[in-house]
Amino acid sequence: MKLVAITSCSTGIAHTYMAAEKLMMEAKSMGHEIKVETQGSIGAENVLTAEDIAAADAVLIAANTGVNKERFHGKRLYETNVEDGINKAGEIIEKALASTYIYKNAEAGMDTSAVQNTKQKVSVYKHLMAGVSYMIPFVVAGGICIALSFAFGGIHSEGPIAQAFSMIGGGVCMALMFPILGGFIGHSISDRPGLLPGMVGGMLASTLNAGFLGALIGGFLGGYAALFLKKVIKMPKGLEGLMPVLIVPFLSSVIVGLTMIFIIGTPFKALNVWITEFLNSLSGVNSALLGLILGAMMAVDLAGPIGKAAYFFGVASLTTLSPGETAPVMAAVMASGMVPPLAMALSTIIAKDRYTTDQIESGKTAWILGASFISEGAIPFAAADPVRVLPSVTIGAAVTGALSMIFNCGLAVPHGGAFVFVIPGAVSNLPFYLVAIIVGTIISGVLVSFLKKR
């Protein structure tokens, strides 16, 4: 039988492609044909054509972000998360082929009443992931540009080159961060009609200093306002074209704008200030405990929902920075996330008799993935032996997070791994930051080597 599939994870870096590879391997072993479109951080690749979709017996979507399904009208469709694409590829292929749910495109005016009861609901988490996946490139590019402005012009970004980088990074990329977050949360909830009100909510969160949480609320408010208006407003046949271009965008933007200005803005500004002051006040045992918890969260499910929650906390800490500052929380999060693949790579060297030939080869790749802050590089090892691998990497990552906070290391960018270490101003207290990463890597690498059987 023939299938078409889409894979997409929140960051669009690792899970997207790992799930695609696993689905192709499992489909081949089961005697099925499959074409997988990956919607990663660089855009859609191996894009499904109309001919591919028409010839398919079923459509499989393994994604943690909102995926536009309009082109799959009339096709058997099964939808799940991207982790199932990695861990349960064969199972979800069978479920897709056995699915009785036929997708019908409501936007095209099709009758959806027959499938309303079986339509799968997209979770709040998936809407959040959709917004964050679009936001992260803005934060990363903005943070690196700001760091380069310090490199060329010092802490005050003096000189034309430094000011240009500062304008690109802080004036544009970082300024667009909240509108993009809110806009694509709204888009995930109600498709194109939710984009504008979501962006309005995100922009007002920035203007009102309501911070990361305010932008989240604005995005969800915009998306659900647009969704509600689409359902309740019925226009005469000749005026239906006004709904997506005038009625829904205008009314939903007004609803979101007034709510943000008069209800949400002030309390969330106060909450944002309190969180900032709380994080700045942490020192000693308190900061070590926070680093320990965040570090453990980053490794316990290898960039799954728990790890993503810790990462979002780190990204949120970046949004409160003043020019020239770095975020200790973000530093602890990234250092901890680098440890699992680095530790497994180390273990394949010091305990070769405990790994297969394929795993030893994977260990070579894990060095690069770990240095790039891609925690998913440890997934092949954890999938083969979760009882020994996950506790081992979690302990080392927790130690790294605690040490990073104790050493008062800071980070000005939300991603990049070791590749941002060479940028002046991107990392504060770099020598001790390296110590924290190395110590955690050694602890986890030695521990897992000791626990695993020959």
Side-chain angles (χ1 to χ4, degrees):
M1 300 187 80
K2 294 183 178 181
L3 297 98
V4 291
I6 293 178
T7 60
S8 178
C9 64
S10 57
T11 56
I13 298 174
H15 277 71
T16 299
Y17 302 99
M18 293 170 70
E21 183 178 1
K22 190 71 174 178
L23 287 171
M24 288 188 286
M25 290 172 58
E26 286 294 326
K28 184 178 180 181
S29 69
M30 296 166 71
H32 302 307
E33 292 182 38
I34 191 170
K35 180 176 179 179
V36 185
E37 176 182 313
T38 53
Q39 296 187 1
S41 59
I42 59 174
E45 297 176 275
N46 200 32
V47 176
L48 303 176
T49 65
E51 291 77 17
D52 294 327
I53 296 169
D57 296 295
V59 178
L60 170 59
I61 298 176
N64 285 349
T65 61
V67 172
N68 190 329
K69 299 186 282 287
E70 292 179 6
R71 52 186 161 154
F72 301 129
H73 170 70
K75 303 298 295 186
R76 179 185 293 135
L77 186 145
Y78 178 75
E79 193 169 4
T80 185
N81 58 61
V82 74
E83 287 81 14
D84 283 350
I86 298 172
N87 302 317
K88 303 177 182 178
E91 180 181 330
I92 64 174
I93 287 173
E94 291 178 351
K95 287 182 177 179
L97 291 171
S99 174
T100 58
Y101 170 60
I102 305 299
Y103 178 74
K104 293 193 176 183
N105 184 3
E107 292 294 323
M110 304 297 178
D111 179 21
T112 59
S113 58
V115 296
Q116 203 62 247
N117 293 330
T118 58
K119 186 175 180 180
Q120 296 178 342
K121 293 182 179 179
V122 179
S123 67
V124 169
Y125 177 75
K126 186 170 286 191
H127 298 318
L128 173 62
M129 292 299 101
V132 170
S133 66
Y134 282 99
M135 180 195 76
I136 286 175
F138 288 82
V139 184
V140 173
I144 292 176
C145 284
I146 291 171
L148 288 172
S149 75
F150 299 155
F152 282 101
I155 201 68
H156 298 295
S157 301
E158 297 175 353
I161 300 297
Q163 288 176 2
F165 275 114
S166 179
M167 184 180 296
I168 296 168
V172 179
C173 292
M174 298 296 277
L176 288 170
M177 174 177 60
F178 287 158
I180 292 296
L181 173 64
F184 281 96
I185 288 175
H187 183 273
S188 176
I189 294 169
S190 58
D191 294 323
R192 282 170 291 182
L195 182 63
L196 173 62
M199 293 191 75
V200 169
M203 191 69 213
L204 283 171
S206 178
T207 303
L208 299 169
N209 293 321
F212 186 78
L213 293 175
L216 289 181
I217 298 297
F220 280 104
L221 180 62
Y224 284 116
L227 189 64
F228 174 76
L229 292 171
K230 283 198 300 181
K231 290 181 177 179
V232 300
I233 298 178
K234 305 298 180 183
M235 298 291 289
K237 204 84 175 160
L239 299 177
E240 285 180 343
L242 294 176
M243 283 289 288
V245 297
L246 174 61
I247 307 297
V248 173
F250 169 70
L251 291 179
S252 58
S253 296
V254 169
I255 292 170
V256 172
L258 294 176
T259 304
M260 290 294 294
I261 292 169
F262 293 109
I263 300 175
I264 292 175
T266 300
F268 272 83
K269 177 182 178 180
L271 178 62
N272 193 42
V273 170
W274 179 83
I275 292 173
T276 303
E277 291 177 349
F278 171 73
L279 292 176
N280 290 336
S281 69
L282 290 175
S283 61
V285 175
N286 291 329
S287 66
L289 180 60
L290 177 62
L292 191 79
I293 294 170
L294 291 173
M297 290 175 68
M298 284 299 297
V300 72
D301 63 351
L302 299 176
I306 298 174
K308 289 292 190 300
Y311 180 70
F312 298 153
F313 189 60
V315 171
S317 71
L318 284 176
T319 64
T320 63
L321 297 181
S322 300
E325 291 183 336
T326 54
V329 171
M330 189 67 243
V333 164
M334 188 170 86
S336 302
M338 294 170 67
V339 166
L342 292 176
M344 297 313 302
L346 176 63
S347 182
T348 60
I349 292 177
I350 63 178
K352 288 185 176 181
D353 58 342
R354 289 162 172 78
Y355 297 95
T356 65
T357 302
D358 287 342
Q359 288 176 325
I360 291 173
E361 287 301 311
S362 296
K364 297 175 183 177
T365 306
W367 284 115
I368 300 172
L369 296 175
S372 305
F373 180 36
I374 299 176
S375 305
E376 294 92 335
I379 286 178
F381 302 96
D385 191 2
V387 174
R388 295 176 179 84
V389 171
L390 287 177
S392 299
V393 298
T394 299
I395 290 170
V399 170
T400 291
L403 288 176
S404 178
M405 293 293 283
I406 290 171
F407 295 152
N408 197 30
C409 302
L411 194 64
V413 294
H415 216 290
F419 299 99
V420 301
F421 293 174
V422 297
I423 301 175
V427 185
S428 60
N429 215 356
L430 179 59
F432 283 99
Y433 194 56
L434 293 173
V435 169
I437 295 170
I438 291 169
V439 169
T441 298
I442 292 173
I443 289 174
S444 288
V446 171
L447 185 57
V448 74
S449 298
F450 174 76
L451 292 175
K452 284 185 71 67
K453 296 179 180 180
R454 287 183 175 82

